[in-house]
Amino acid sequence: MTAATLRALHHGRATGDPLVLPGPWDAASARVFAEAGFPALATPSAGVSAALGYEDGEAPAAEMFAAIARIVRAVPVPVTADVESGYGLPPKELVERLLETGAVGCNLEDSDHRTGRLKDPAEQADYLAAVRAEAGEALFINARVDTFLHGVADPGQALDRARRYTEAGADCLYPILAPAEQLAGFAAEVTLPVNALALPTGPSPRELGQLGATRVTFGGGQHHKSMTALADSARELREA
C-alpha cells in the first residue's frame, strides 16, 4: 500500500460520506477492523500507548514505532499513524522511522507535550514543511490543529494555523474537538480535506460528514469502549 492509495480515499467523496478510519491499538484489533471492510486504518496514540502500558503521550518513540509496524504487518490496507508531535525527532529521522514501519501517513499535532502548550504556528509550519520535503509524496500528512483542544474559542486562530499548514504541504487538516457548529465554517474556509473526531456523545460520522468532514477518526475512543466491555465481562466472570 502507498500514500497515493490513502490520498485517493480522501478525494471525490460525497457530502455525508466521510472516510471512516477506525483506530486499532494492536495487531489483533487492526485485523478486526480490516476484516470488517474498512479501506484504511488510523492508529491513535492514546490507544496504542494504553496497550503498551503507558499514559497517552508517555510511550517511548521506539515502542510506538514498533507497535505501528506490527499493526501495519497485520493488515492488507493502508495505515496512517498518530505520532503525536514527532517525539522531538528531526524531520529526516521521523520520516525514515515512519517509513520503516510501513505506515503511509501520519498525524502531527501542534501541541508541545513538554510544556502542555500550543506550538508557535510559524515554527510548526516550518516543521511540517521539512517533513514534507523529506517524505516527498511517500507520506500522507494530517496536520492537527489543537486550538480548540486548548480552549481557544476564536475560529480565526484555527484558520490561521490551517492556512499555514496547507502552505507547508499538509494533505489534511484536523481541528480536533472543533465544536460541531463551527466545523462547517472551518471546512468552508480551507482547501484541504478536514478530519473530525467522533465522540460517543457527539454527531455520528455521517452527521460529521454533512458538516464538512471528509474523514472521521475516533482517537482512543474505540480502545476505551473495548476495555469497558472487557471490564464488564471480567466482573461478570468474577461474580459468576
Side-chain angles (χ1 to χ4, degrees), residues 50-192:
L52 292 172
Y54 297 98
E55 295 296 322
D56 189 19
E58 294 184 2
E63 291 192 44
M64 186 65 77
F65 286 122
I68 293 165
R70 289 192 292 271
I71 289 169
V72 171
R73 287 197 302 267
V75 294
V77 299
V79 174
T80 179
D82 182 349
V83 291
E84 303 175 11
S85 57
Y87 306 114
L89 299 173
K92 180 178 176 59
E93 183 178 354
L94 177 66
V95 169
E96 288 175 348
R97 295 180 73 171
L98 266 170
L99 294 178
E100 285 172 359
T101 70
V104 298
C106 65
N107 277 10
L108 282 169
E109 61 192 58
D110 59 358
S111 289
D112 187 330
H113 282 278
R114 295 168 298 178
T115 65
R117 298 177 180 176
L118 282 164
K119 292 184 176 180
D120 177 83
E123 291 179 2
Q124 178 68 359
D126 288 344
Y127 186 73
L128 290 170
V131 171
R132 170 57 70 210
E134 292 291 343
E137 295 300 304
L139 285 175
F140 182 98
I141 299 174
N142 189 32
R144 214 174 82 174
V145 178
D146 286 2
T147 52
F148 298 106
L149 176 66
H150 286 269
V152 180
D154 176 13
Q157 291 195 39
L159 285 170
D160 174 66
R161 288 172 180 264
R163 291 175 181 132
R164 290 173 185 265
Y165 304 164
T166 299
E167 293 173 2
D171 292 286
C172 187
L173 299 166
Y174 183 10
I176 188 170
L177 293 183
E181 63 272 15
Q182 293 191 35
L183 185 61
F186 181 94
E189 292 290 333
V190 300
T191 57
L192 294 179

